[in-house]
Amino acid sequence: MTSADGTRIAHQAVGDGPAVVVVDGALCHRAFGPSGGIAAELAGAHRVFRYDRRGRGESGAGGPYAVRREVEDLAAVVAAAGGRATLLGLSSGAALALRAAGAGIGVERVVAYEPPFSTSPEQLARFAAYRAGVEADITAGRPGDAVARFMALVGSPGELVEQLRRSPAWPAFEAVAPTLVNDAEVLDGTAGAPVPAGLLAALPVPVLVADGGLSPAPLRDAAAATAAAAGAEYRTLAGQTHEVAPEALGPLVAEFIARS
């Protein structure tokens, strides 16, 4: 499909029923990440759309980045889904889904899994420093350093990052590294990724915010704060982490769609 600014956005759909659009988090796209398993879990009773966010996979990067361009991309996917859809956002993709929900593009409801907003002064400062650092890495032509910086932010051990740098998978990470700057913009990274309380309070659609019972406290705090600001339902999936299992998330999404 073609987004409003002419950027080509790759997508695919499986299943039949009410439309669900999966919005990936950082570094993920159709060929890498959880969306395939989630689509398979929901496809029995839903038409599930997966797409490569701009700059990832088979989608174009477009011109200078702006969050509104990603909202326009989502508008194109929702249009392809028949003009109405549920958005299922994961991590930073949850933040994008929440920003798109009030844009008048046909979003019926949002399920947001662990949007990684900051809820303390220390987190705000850390994310602002990360956002500046990752932009400097990309500007200087060091995509690998940007990926390593992101992995450090999310708590990956240094020795694991070094192992990945030497692995055949590393070029795939570097290929999408520039989009880390995009994700930081979605989260308002210059300000430290604060919970967008005003935006959330004004959302005109039902919202479900979920987290994993085994996820780190900062992610769970962010989910709880997001739900409170949006007046949303808040659910915790026992035994789950930030890498949520499709078989745990899928039934929650299906139940929310059925009753809202």
Side-chain angles (χ1 to χ4, degrees):
M1 67 184 68
T2 302
S3 192
D5 70 343
T7 301
R8 297 290 289 172
I9 302 298
H11 73 289
Q12 64 191 103
V14 295
D16 188 39
V20 179
V21 177
V22 182
V23 187
D24 276 315
L27 300 178
C28 295
H29 49 89
R30 289 179 302 145
F32 177 77
S35 65
I38 291 170
E41 183 70 29
L42 288 169
H46 305 83
R47 183 75 166 160
V48 187
F49 287 75
R50 299 192 297 136
Y51 76 107
D52 293 338
R53 289 174 57 186
R54 61 175 52 211
R56 312 181 190 194
E58 296 180 311
S59 290
Y65 181 79
V67 175
R68 70 178 183 277
R69 297 301 185 199
E70 288 228 67
V71 174
E72 290 169 354
D73 300 343
L74 264 172
V77 180
V78 172
R84 306 291 296 176
T86 296
L87 301 186
L88 168 56
L90 309 171
S91 192
S92 57
L96 177 58
L98 290 165
R99 294 195 184 281
I105 63 171
V107 176
E108 293 184 305
R109 63 188 67 78
V110 175
V111 178
Y113 188 80
E114 295 195 352
F117 295 119
S118 299
T119 58
S120 72
E122 294 78 14
Q123 291 169 21
L124 289 164
R126 185 182 183 212
F127 197 94
Y130 159 78
R131 188 252 178 267
V134 79
E135 182 175 37
D137 292 336
I138 296 303
T139 300
R142 302 189 304 265
D145 289 351
V147 175
R149 189 183 299 274
F150 169 75
M151 290 181 172
L153 178 75
V154 300
S156 299
E159 56 271 23
L160 173 60
V161 176
E162 289 307 311
Q163 289 175 12
L164 284 171
R165 275 186 180 270
R166 297 190 295 270
S167 76
W170 193 252
F173 287 111
E174 290 188 327
V176 294
T179 64
L180 290 171
V181 180
N182 303 355
D183 279 291
E185 287 299 300
V186 168
L187 290 162
D188 192 9
T190 302
V195 176
L199 179 147
L200 295 171
L203 290 180
V205 299
V207 176
L208 168 64
V209 182
D211 61 16
L214 297 180
S215 289
L219 287 173
R220 299 200 62 200
D221 291 345
T226 300
E233 183 176 348
Y234 173 43
R235 298 280 293 277
T236 294
L237 296 175
Q240 295 301 305
T241 66
H242 198 56
E243 283 99 32
V244 62
E247 59 270 25
L249 184 58
L252 181 69
V253 175
E255 188 263 343
F256 182 59
I257 291 172
R259 63 180 169 79
S260 65

